[in-house]
Amino acid sequence: MTAAASQFQSGACAHSSSMCSRNAYAVSVGVLGMLISGTSIGLVAFNKMTLLMELCLSSLIFFFNIFAVGFVTFGDGPAAQFVSNLYFSIWIGFVLCLLLAIDSFKDYMKGHSGGDEDTKATPTASPEVVGNKLSVVEERNSEDVEEY
């Protein structure tokens, strides 16, 4: 996306400042997404990420991507006039953020229905070999064992 932004900056920004500002917003959303993702990875690595924090951060990224798709694709002369990396990266980022927000919402609702609001957003299952069978042991409730 950065390469597409710099190419766009050098070619089209001489003609329209509106396109340049929308292009700058798209790049800013990409950078913000990287910062929030890095923060999320750090929180998960140190086991500090809760389901509510995961839901809020993924919703925030999705919210910014909604506007980025609108600004880049539509409006007074779209910022991505040509089907290029800028166009594809914004739409792919939007779809991935939508899927992330939906998955975070499902996890939050599943964890919230159990009554524990501070449920950590960690992997929920780990494989174990019991005898000749591979079993998955749930970390939240280690008494339940599903056999495959």
Side-chain angles (χ1 to χ4, degrees):
M1 187 165 105
T2 306
S6 65
Q7 182 182 18
F8 179 81
Q9 182 77 21
S10 64
C13 279
H15 305 297
S16 173
S17 64
S18 172
M19 280 191 261
C20 289
S21 62
R22 288 183 282 144
N23 185 37
Y25 179 77
V27 172
S28 300
V29 167
V31 170
L32 183 65
M34 288 176 30
L35 291 174
I36 292 174
S37 298
T39 302
S40 297
I41 290 170
L43 289 171
V44 168
F46 291 110
N47 203 21
K48 301 291 183 189
M49 177 73 86
T50 64
L51 291 176
L52 181 61
M53 288 170 60
E54 179 184 352
L55 177 64
C56 291
L57 291 174
S58 64
S59 298
L60 182 67
I61 295 173
F62 175 64
F63 178 76
F64 284 120
N65 271 282
I66 289 172
F67 290 106
V69 164
F71 289 148
V72 168
T73 306
F74 309 108
D76 181 27
Q81 289 181 346
F82 308 104
V83 178
S84 66
N85 291 342
L86 178 63
Y87 180 83
F88 286 122
S89 62
I90 289 296
W91 274 100
I92 290 171
F94 169 76
V95 170
L96 291 176
C97 289
L98 173 64
L99 294 174
L100 179 66
I102 289 171
D103 190 51
S104 296
F105 181 73
K106 285 180 184 177
D107 288 346
Y108 178 74
M109 293 309 291
K110 190 185 306 181
H112 190 65
S113 65
D116 187 13
E117 290 185 28
D118 284 337
T119 305
K120 298 289 182 188
T122 57
T124 58
S126 60
E128 285 187 6
V129 176
V130 179
N132 292 338
K133 297 182 179 180
L134 178 65
S135 299
V136 176
V137 178
E138 295 288 328
E139 291 179 5
R140 291 184 184 155
N141 189 357
S142 60
E143 296 171 3
D144 296 334
V145 176
E146 296 179 25
E147 294 184 6
Y148 295 98

